[in-house]
């Protein structure tokens, strides 16, 4: 097969530059047993619960997910209360949201355990069903420097898993109570921490127990140093670092209203509760990396002490933290702050006073705080699907959404066709190495405020090799065939294909797919050339405006081109490769537009 003559990267770079120039001018101008309903949050109407609404939920809470178009339509046809129960679960597998790879049956991902420990062991093993290239396997061991990061990056997008589970897991361990294995926290501690927190969520434990599980972990004790805290003969040989952050980061409690009591009583006595812990190893090579926490009465406070005006303590550290978490989650300051922390961390950068009131009311209405129920109710609420909701995407959010919507096989993930290395090496975003240490990783507003990150994202979209259909997959070559993802109803026509691609990656109901965006995508799909070169072959660098496409020759070209058919089903391998190249170029253009960098409600 001869290589196609089309040069997608150069054309996409020119096309994106043209659109951004116009944009700049315009700028100057476990399954919860409770039903998904809570007071304060109104469920979106059936008329607004459509395929776009489903895709917005997937984009926000599942890194885009991998559900088929047919499954999206099925969920859109259901009542939102019924659909969301299928869409969002903490099970290790959600085969509707992430159907297994039909080509790779032998890896049995749909039944394989999805913990970080299990997946890391599998992808680093000599198992005959393991399709990870042999020379890469060692990178997924816990001994490898970036083992947990690489394992999580794949776990969150492997087909046959559950991307929603890992979306929440990332927030819990990289933002809520963040640990950093670039510092003193070992890989063994990171993996155990992540898996224990996710196991608690899968079991459907109340959210106070989930927070207590995190707070009792070896990773947190290593991060803050209280693994060495001891209470002996009435003296606390302790540091107060986590004693303070447990309240602030775990529950949103700052002691507002009585800072002196908070600092001099609650924080100091919490440090006394964080005593008597020891770490042992089951698999870690030495005691400094030990991942198994044990809790002894020896060296632990021997009598209850006042914390937040409630007596706590006297058993062991784990039991006392569970008792503390049980009442702190209902503490007024926590009830005000924690639901907003969750929503702002995952879905809405700017929570209005009205939304804050609604979220607090819904949270307080749950006698037993259930994170899954809360997220389900919010995801189908009028607040989530409101045009006032906006969220700027972090570098990781943007990459993971693109990767999940681009790949059609786990082989593309194992071959890193989506070039995840750019995220780590160029943009400096590494899971479990948060930018702000205990205060969390890179945020969407931080990414949006960085001209350097935008430049790198633009360069990635216009230069990356995924824009072509020929894929080098760590040892062999594969030609991408977009028919594996595209519904047959498109008949591979330019207009239908363009709209399908836009919805697949942007998920805005075509709201922002205006004449200019449409014209650029049409040109790339139909001709493999930049829009300016198509409309003005003798002056290709001349800017094309929306007005040029609204009448005359421009409108005639748009109308004619919309009905052209891509040669995806051609008998000619060269013609098919060219058609797939052009789709790759259109995808590269779409993900470089400003609409890939943020999301909004309806």
């Amino acid at each position: 097969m001869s290589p196609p003559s089309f040069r997608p990267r150069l054309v996409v770079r020119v096309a994106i530059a043209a659109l951004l120039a116009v944009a700049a001018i315009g700028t100057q101008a476990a399954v919860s047993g409770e039903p998904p309903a809570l007071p304060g949050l109104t469920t979106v109407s059936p008329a607004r619960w459509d395929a776009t609404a489903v895709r917005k939920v997937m984009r926000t809470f599942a890194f885009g997910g991998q559900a088929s178009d047919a499954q999206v339509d099925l969920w859109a046809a259901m009542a939102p209360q019924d659909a969301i129960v299928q869409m969002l679960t903490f099970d290790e597998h959600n085969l509707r949201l992430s159907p297994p790879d039909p080509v790779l049956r032998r890896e049995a991902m749909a039944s394989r355990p999805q913990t970080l420990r299990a997946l890391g062991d599998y992808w680093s093993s000599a198992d005959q069903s393991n399709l990870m290239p042999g020379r890469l396997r060692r990178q997924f061991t816990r001994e490898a420097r970036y083992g947990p990061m690489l394992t999580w990056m794949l776990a969150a997008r492997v087909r046959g898993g559950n991307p929603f589970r890992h979306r929440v897991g990332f927030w819990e361990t990289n933002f809520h109570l963040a640990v950093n294995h670039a510092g003193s926290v070992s890989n063994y501690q990171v993996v155990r921490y992540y898996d224990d927190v996710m196991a608690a969520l899968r079991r459907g434990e109340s959210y106070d127990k989930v927070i207590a599980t995190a707070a009792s972990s070896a990773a947190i004790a290593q991060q803050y140093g209280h693994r060495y805290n001891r209470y002996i003969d009435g003296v606390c040989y302790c540091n107060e670092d986590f004693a303070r952050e447990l309240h602030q980061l775990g529950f949103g409690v700052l002691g507002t209203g009585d800072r002196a009591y908070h600092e001099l009583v609650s924080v100091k006595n919490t440090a006394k509760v964080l005593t008597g812990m020891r770490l042992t190893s089951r698999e870690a090579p030495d005691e400094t990396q030990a991942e198994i926490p044990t809790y002894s009465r020896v060296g632990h406070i021997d009598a209850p002490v006042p914390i937040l005006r409630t007596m706590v303590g006297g058993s062991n550290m784990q039991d006392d933290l569970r008792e503390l978490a049980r009442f702190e989650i209902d503490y007024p300051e926590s009830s005000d702050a924690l639901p907003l922390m969750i929503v702002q961390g995952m879905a809405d950068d700017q929570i209005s006073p009205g939304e804050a009131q609604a979220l607090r009311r819904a949270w307080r209405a749950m006698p037993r705080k259930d994170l899954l129920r809360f997220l389900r109710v919010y995801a189908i609420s009028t607040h989530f699907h409101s045009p006032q909701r906006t969220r700027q995407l972090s570098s990781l959010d943007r990459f993971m959404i693109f990767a999940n919507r681009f790949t059609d096989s786990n082989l593309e993930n194992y071959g890193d066709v989506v070039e995840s290395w750019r995220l780590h090496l160029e943009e400096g975003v590494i899971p479990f190495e948060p930018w702000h240490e205990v205060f969390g990783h890179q945020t969407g507003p931080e990414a949006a405020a960085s001209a350097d990150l935008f430049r790198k994202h633009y360069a990635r979209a216009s230069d990356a090799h995924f824009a072509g259909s020929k894929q080098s997959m760590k040892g062999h070559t594969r030609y991408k065939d977009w028919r594996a993802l595209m519904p047959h109803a498109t008949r591979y026509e330019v207009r239908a294909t363009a709209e399908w691609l836009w919805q697949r990656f942007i998920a805005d109901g075509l709201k922002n797919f205006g004449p200019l965006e449409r014209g650029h995508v049409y040109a790339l799909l139909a001709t493999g050339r930049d829009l300016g070169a198509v409309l003005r072959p003798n002056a290709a660098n001349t800017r094309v405006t929306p007005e040029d496409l609204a009448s005359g020759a421009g409108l005639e070209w748009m109308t004619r081109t919309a009905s052209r058919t891509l040669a995806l089903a051609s008998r000619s391998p060269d013609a098919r490769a060219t058609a797939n190249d052009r789709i790759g170029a259109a995808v590269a253009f779409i993900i470089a537009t400003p609409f890939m960098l943020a999301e909004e409600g309806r």
Side-chain angles (χ1 to χ4, degrees):
M1 173 178 170
S2 61
S5 59
F6 174 56
R7 295 181 296 166
R9 283 176 282 173
L10 177 60
V11 172
V12 169
R13 189 185 301 114
V14 173
I16 295 170
L19 178 60
L20 291 179
V22 173
I25 293 172
T27 300
Q28 295 169 2
V31 180
S32 172
E34 299 290 341
L38 287 169
L41 293 175
T42 303
T43 301
V44 70
S45 69
R48 292 182 67 78
W49 180 254
D50 56 13
T52 296
V54 170
R55 291 182 187 278
K56 285 186 177 293
V57 172
M58 291 166 52
R59 199 171 193 259
T60 300
F61 293 107
F63 294 128
Q66 300 122 352
S68 67
D69 291 274
Q71 180 63 65
V72 168
D73 290 340
L74 284 174
W75 280 330
M78 297 168 65
Q81 297 93 329
D82 297 329
I84 202 66
V85 172
Q86 293 184 3
M87 294 175 68
L88 305 185
T89 79
F90 284 132
D91 293 338
E92 291 188 12
H93 306 87
N94 184 340
L95 302 187
R96 294 184 177 96
L97 183 64
S98 180
D101 192 327
V103 179
L104 307 182
R105 291 186 178 89
R106 69 174 183 170
E107 70 173 357
M109 195 56 67
S111 58
R112 190 170 299 282
Q114 296 291 304
T115 65
L116 287 195
R117 179 181 180 277
L119 288 174
D121 288 348
Y122 174 62
W123 284 323
S124 62
S125 74
D127 191 312
Q128 291 186 349
S129 68
N130 180 16
L131 298 174
M132 182 65 61
R135 65 184 177 278
L136 301 179
R137 292 179 183 180
R138 180 167 176 73
Q139 298 179 18
F140 293 88
T141 64
R142 272 161 290 170
E143 293 83 2
R145 172 68 180 84
Y146 292 110
M149 176 270 285
L150 292 172
T151 301
W152 182 86
M153 287 292 295
L154 269 183
R157 64 183 199 265
V158 70
R159 288 175 172 269
N162 183 353
F164 164 71
R165 181 175 182 269
H166 294 294
R167 169 71 183 92
V168 175
F170 182 78
W171 185 78
E172 289 289 355
T173 57
N174 285 259
F175 285 92
H176 189 188
L177 289 179
V179 295
N180 188 348
H181 76 63
S184 63
V185 184
S186 76
N187 286 354
Y188 295 88
Q189 292 163 349
V190 166
V191 170
R192 177 65 183 256
Y193 176 52
Y194 186 93
D195 286 346
D196 283 354
V197 169
M198 298 316 298
L201 288 170
R202 184 188 181 193
R203 290 192 297 267
E205 292 186 357
S206 59
Y207 199 42
D208 57 286
K209 290 183 179 179
V210 176
I211 297 174
T213 295
S216 304
S217 72
I220 290 291
Q222 182 72 26
Q223 176 86 20
Y224 289 90
H226 57 270
R227 62 177 292 184
Y228 303 110
N229 282 9
R230 298 291 182 266
Y231 187 84
I232 302 172
D233 296 332
V235 179
C236 191
Y237 299 92
C238 312
N239 75 65
E240 298 177 359
D241 292 348
F242 187 61
R244 183 171 293 100
E245 302 308 345
L246 170 62
H247 299 298
Q248 177 178 341
L249 302 180
F251 296 95
V253 174
L254 299 172
T256 302
D258 194 343
R259 293 288 297 176
Y261 176 85
H262 185 74
E263 289 293 329
L264 299 177
V265 179
S266 291
V267 170
K268 289 186 178 298
N269 285 336
T270 302
K272 296 175 183 177
V273 165
L274 296 169
T275 53
M277 179 189 215
R278 288 168 176 80
L279 303 185
T280 62
S281 172
R282 181 176 301 160
E283 297 177 325
D286 55 62
E287 191 268 348
T288 63
Q289 302 181 63
E291 76 279 18
I292 308 297
T294 61
Y295 315 96
S296 173
R297 294 181 65 92
V298 177
H300 183 66
I301 181 73
D302 54 5
V305 290
I307 302 174
L308 303 180
R309 307 190 188 282
T310 302
M311 300 303 290
V312 179
S315 181
N316 63 48
M317 176 179 148
Q318 183 182 51
D319 290 345
D320 293 348
L321 281 178
R322 288 174 176 171
E323 181 184 354
L324 173 59
R326 187 165 53 250
F327 75 78
E328 184 161 8
I329 203 164
D330 289 319
Y331 192 71
E333 195 175 355
S334 176
S335 293
D336 280 347
L338 191 51
L340 274 59
M341 290 164 56
I342 294 167
V343 169
Q344 190 166 34
M346 297 190 205
D348 193 345
D349 290 335
Q350 299 293 331
I351 297 176
S352 68
E355 182 181 6
Q357 182 179 10
L359 293 171
R360 288 164 175 159
R361 183 183 176 196
W363 186 255
R364 291 187 179 114
M366 293 188 293
R368 174 186 176 278
K369 300 299 182 283
D370 184 333
L371 180 64
L372 180 58
R373 183 185 181 193
F374 181 71
L375 290 177
R376 283 173 169 173
V377 174
Y378 173 69
I380 57 173
S381 72
T382 53
H383 284 287
F384 177 78
H385 295 280
S386 164
Q388 279 69 53
R389 182 184 70 87
T390 59
R391 176 171 172 262
Q392 294 167 313
L393 301 183
S394 70
S395 296
L396 184 134
D397 290 330
R398 168 179 35 82
F399 169 79
M400 295 298 289
I401 291 169
F402 158 70
N404 276 329
R405 304 311 289 156
F406 179 88
T407 55
D408 61 73
S409 169
N410 285 340
L411 285 175
E412 291 182 317
N413 287 317
Y414 302 151
D416 200 26
V417 169
V418 291
E419 300 185 353
S420 61
W421 61 268
R422 292 179 182 262
L423 175 70
H424 313 314
L425 297 182
E426 294 184 355
E427 300 190 46
V429 176
I430 300 174
F432 307 113
E433 292 190 6
W435 279 18
H436 308 291
E437 295 288 340
V438 300
F439 295 103
H441 222 315
Q442 181 210 69
T443 65
E446 284 177 326
S450 171
D452 184 54
L453 287 177
F454 178 80
R455 177 184 60 80
K456 290 174 179 177
H457 168 64
Y458 172 85
R460 178 180 185 275
S462 56
D463 293 339
H465 293 287
F466 64 77
S469 64
K470 185 177 181 180
Q471 300 174 334
S472 176
M473 298 177 61
K474 310 292 187 183
H476 71 278
T477 299
R478 175 178 183 262
Y479 288 87
K480 188 172 183 67
D481 188 346
W482 278 92
R483 290 178 298 174
L485 297 172
M486 192 180 301
H488 298 303
T490 63
R491 296 183 297 177
Y492 313 136
E493 290 183 349
V494 166
R495 175 174 179 169
T497 301
E499 293 178 351
W500 175 77
L501 287 171
W502 190 268
Q503 273 287 76
R504 184 168 184 83
F505 290 94
I506 307 300
D508 64 355
L510 306 180
K511 173 183 175 181
N512 296 300
F513 198 38
L516 195 60
E517 293 82 6
R518 189 179 290 269
H520 278 290
V521 175
Y522 280 15
L524 291 170
L525 291 176
T527 71
R529 293 183 292 160
D530 172 61
L531 179 61
V534 171
L535 294 183
R536 301 190 180 106
N538 296 323
N541 292 327
T542 304
R543 180 169 58 89
V544 178
T545 68
E547 291 73 24
D548 294 330
L549 302 173
S551 62
L555 178 60
E556 190 276 331
W557 176 86
M558 289 278 284
T559 304
R560 184 177 68 253
T561 304
S563 61
R564 290 183 58 176
T565 301
L566 279 70
L568 289 170
S570 172
R571 294 183 179 181
S572 165
D574 284 350
R576 291 199 305 272
T578 298
N580 280 287
D581 274 337
R582 292 174 176 177
I583 291 178
V587 168
F589 172 83
I590 289 170
I591 67 170
T593 64
F595 310 111
M596 187 66 187
L597 306 179
E599 62 186 27
E600 60 181 355
R602 298 292 295 278

